[in-house]
Amino acid sequence: MPKTLMQSVVSTLQNEQRRLEDELHRVTAALTAFGRVYLNGNRSKPSASLKKRTISAAGRKRIAAAQRVRWAKVRAAKKK
């Protein structure tokens, strides 16, 4: 028995719906996996991501002095 045009259209749309639902499921799974990695961080070096880095007072003074020199050069260039 031949399908009518309407039955054919409905069948095609149902197939497309199943395909899209499957694709959406895969995208959701990928987003979930990436979200877990992003939230949990890199598991290969757990201590590296938790360790807080500090700088010594002497290091801060060197950085500040170097920045003052850079700003002095900028100001000198503006005066010319």
Side-chain angles (χ1 to χ4, degrees):
M1 169 159 67
K3 288 184 176 180
T4 65
L5 180 59
M6 186 60 74
Q7 289 171 331
S8 177
V9 169
V10 169
S11 175
T12 302
L13 289 173
Q14 287 172 339
N15 289 338
E16 182 67 9
Q17 180 184 14
R18 280 191 291 276
R19 186 190 68 78
L20 289 172
E21 286 173 347
D22 183 50
E23 189 170 341
L24 184 59
H25 176 70
R26 283 184 269 144
V27 168
T28 303
L31 284 172
T32 302
F34 283 122
R36 284 188 195 130
V37 169
Y38 178 75
L39 292 175
N40 295 333
N42 187 355
R43 292 291 185 184
S44 62
K45 296 182 194 176
S47 62
S49 63
L50 300 177
K51 185 177 179 183
K52 185 172 180 176
R53 294 171 21 161
T54 59
I55 188 166
S56 66
R60 284 193 302 273
K61 286 181 183 180
R62 283 193 305 271
I63 291 170
Q67 187 63 42
R68 281 192 293 274
V69 169
R70 286 191 289 271
W71 275 113
K73 287 180 184 178
V74 169
R75 285 188 212 106
K78 284 184 178 180
K79 289 184 179 180
K80 289 183 182 182

